[in-house]
Amino acid sequence: MAGSSFYATLNPPARILLGPGPSNVPPRVYQAMTAPVVGHLDPEFTSIMDDTVELLRSVFGTKNRLALPVSGTGSAGMEAAFCNLVEPGDKVIVGAAGLFGDRMVEVAGRCGAEVIPVRSEWGRIIELSAIEAALKQAGKVKLVALVHAETSTGALQPLGEIALLAKQYDALVLVDAVTSLGGIDVPVDRLGIDFCYSGTQKCLSCPPGLAPITVSERGMEAIRNRQRKVQTWYLDLSLIENYWSEGRAYHHTAPISMVYALREALALVLEEGLEARYARHWQNGRALQAGLQAMGLALHAQDGHQLPMLTTVRIPEGVDDAPTRRTLLNEYNIEIGGGLGPLRGMIWRIGLMGYSSTRDNVLLVLTALETVLAEQGFRCPQGAGVSAANKVFKGG
Ligand SMILES: *Cc1c(COP(=O)(O)O)cnc(C)c1O
């Protein structure tokens, strides 16, 4: 089919994206991407850059001077964080209870860090006491790194006490907010986070392609005090910062259309209002979770620490993972995610991120899942999921 329509205009389907990202993109963001490309030093563009920085500060809850989008997806933000903060031999504690924590361990190791992973079962949070034990044992630690919303397990990592503790040990605090930013509160200044990175395609509901970051004065100082240059030229923040501040020194060509899209996506976040947006994510997440449980399904993530924008649910016995997801995609146009690593074939990951987080989508995915599961012999009281979800929507 692809062959016969090779010269036809590209025409991908408009899916209902309820997986671990990307999420659906609002029309205003798509529209921004079709705006004319201007030069990356055009005053019209640099003023859009300034607006984007200001909007980013508001969404990150920070007064940090440095807030900008790194070119590349969320993982580029992760790479930028470790490459700029870590020098060979530095001790780095990484909370690893899922795929993205493991990725941090990998990236920190490649920067030459002496990595001290603090692990937890996939689905559980990292306990304060485990970080404390590692800090006590390690001696001088440069950095403590955590994943706020572990998209591979559905767990919401508490940050406040660990950040405070890290400060007491004079360690920098690094947080992965790829899935949390724009969906739940990521109060960078209030928590004293020194380096926070995110991605565009999760709760910001912008296509993938940029990694918003922000760095505290303490973080910047650590970067300035490096003994040797950052080994990656492309992600060297001292160079990137020169382009994103008054100097406007050419480093690499900004992905113009992606910056338009992010600017518009951030404007939508603030137009809705941060508190209202967080409340929407919480309510839709809780409704979905109540619905799934009423259908007789079990949630995977640790009780009391379930993410609102990404729900992990165990695949019931006798039900096949891949065929279920294929039917949802082919017959209902709905994408949900499968499990990764040790959770492969064990769980599904249902995302309600940004523009995808709606009451309609909660009711739709519950209804579709009930039907598809029934076809595989898993039966639940008819309408139980929707009814439980509706109770949450009605404030029950
Ligand atoms: C998606 C994700 C990433 C990686 O982002 P990419 O855009 O896929 O590079 C990192 N951390 C978390 C928690 C994520 O959910």
Side-chain angles (χ1 to χ4, degrees):
M1 221 179 77
S4 63
S5 58
F6 211 72
Y7 302 101
T9 305
L10 190 68
N11 190 26
R15 301 288 196 201
I16 298 159
L17 297 176
L18 304 181
S23 56
N24 285 123
V25 175
R28 191 170 143 189
V29 174
Y30 280 134
Q31 203 175 358
M33 297 183 79
T34 66
V37 169
V38 296
H40 64 107
L41 295 172
D42 187 313
E44 292 289 340
F45 185 67
T46 55
S47 121
I48 291 168
M49 290 166 68
D50 288 341
D51 290 350
T52 306
V53 167
E54 211 38 60
L55 291 163
L56 269 181
R57 286 194 187 111
S58 301
V59 175
F60 271 124
T62 187
K63 295 193 161 58
N64 286 342
R65 196 168 50 81
L66 193 142
L68 55 81
V70 168
S71 304
T73 63
S75 303
M78 185 189 293
E79 197 106 41
F82 285 103
C83 289
N84 282 273
L85 291 179
V86 173
E87 290 191 80
D90 284 346
K91 285 185 183 164
V92 171
I93 292 178
V94 179
L99 182 101
F100 295 105
D102 280 355
R103 188 174 291 180
M104 279 181 153
V105 170
E106 172 71 21
V107 172
R110 288 181 186 220
C111 294
E114 190 184 313
V115 187
I116 304 160
V118 173
R119 299 198 183 277
S120 201
E121 207 180 309
W122 284 36
R124 303 195 67 82
I125 59 162
I126 310 286
E127 297 293 339
L128 173 69
S129 56
I131 298 281
E132 185 160 29
L135 278 165
K136 270 190 182 141
Q137 217 194 351
K140 174 70 192 144
V141 168
K142 174 80 165 281
L143 180 69
V144 175
L146 294 168
V147 179
H148 191 198
E150 183 45 90
T151 323
S152 63
T153 70
L156 169 55
Q157 175 65 45
L159 300 174
E161 290 180 313
I162 294 180
L164 216 63
L165 185 71
K167 292 271 135 95
Q168 283 162 19
Y169 282 81
D170 202 26
L172 294 164
V173 178
L174 165 56
V175 170
D176 174 318
V178 175
T179 284
S180 49
L181 193 72
I184 54 177
D185 198 12
V186 185
V188 167
D189 285 1
R190 187 158 62 72
L191 294 176
I193 298 170
D194 294 299
F195 200 121
C196 191
Y197 64 85
S198 189
T200 43
Q201 78 274 24
K202 313 264 168 117
C203 289
L204 296 177
S205 274
C206 181
L210 290 175
I213 64 161
T214 187
V215 188
S216 74
E217 193 39 49
R218 232 161 61 101
M220 291 308 294
E221 203 176 286
I223 295 172
R224 280 194 295 268
N225 291 341
R226 291 177 62 99
Q227 305 285 309
R228 57 175 93 187
K229 283 186 184 176
V230 174
Q231 67 268 32
T232 146
W233 175 88
Y234 194 72
L235 294 176
D236 185 334
L237 277 182
S238 49
L239 302 177
I240 296 172
E241 192 200 8
N242 281 339
Y243 170 59
W244 279 85
S245 55
E246 301 74 50
R248 303 293 174 205
Y250 165 69
H251 177 248
H252 67 272
T253 311
I256 307 287
S257 307
M258 275 308 300
V259 175
Y260 293 166
L262 176 60
R263 187 255 178 232
E264 217 58 1
L266 293 168
L268 279 170
V269 170
L270 294 171
E271 184 185 77
E272 178 176 4
L274 291 173
E275 292 312 318
R277 192 175 179 94
Y278 303 150
R280 169 164 65 85
H281 279 85
W282 280 112
Q283 186 177 53
N284 290 328
R286 290 303 173 240
L288 173 66
Q289 288 159 8
L292 292 169
Q293 288 177 297
M295 287 168 63
L297 299 169
L299 303 181
H300 177 73
Q302 185 173 340
D303 238 9
H305 296 282
Q306 282 132 357
L307 288 170
M309 74 284 283
L310 192 283
T311 295
T312 47
V313 58
R314 300 214 178 104
I315 301 172
E317 216 159 313
V319 170
D320 287 326
D321 174 16
T324 305
R325 284 189 285 125
R326 206 175 317 123
T327 305
L328 284 173
L329 190 67
N330 293 339
E331 288 176 22
Y332 296 84
N333 202 31
I334 297 172
E335 177 181 275
I336 67 165
L340 298 170
L343 298 177
R344 196 188 160 88
M346 313 271 297
I347 61 163
W348 289 311
R349 296 184 295 153
I350 306 177
L352 294 168
M353 300 182 177
Y355 195 57
S356 293
S357 176
T358 65
R359 181 176 172 275
D360 290 3
N361 280 343
V362 171
L363 301 180
L364 180 68
V365 74
L366 286 170
T367 306
L369 203 56
E370 181 184 311
T371 310
V372 177
L373 286 176
E375 286 162 9
Q376 293 211 39
F378 178 87
R379 299 197 177 276
C380 61
Q382 208 184 353
V386 162
S387 156
N390 270 326
K391 229 179 246 166
V392 173
F393 289 128
K394 293 189 178 108

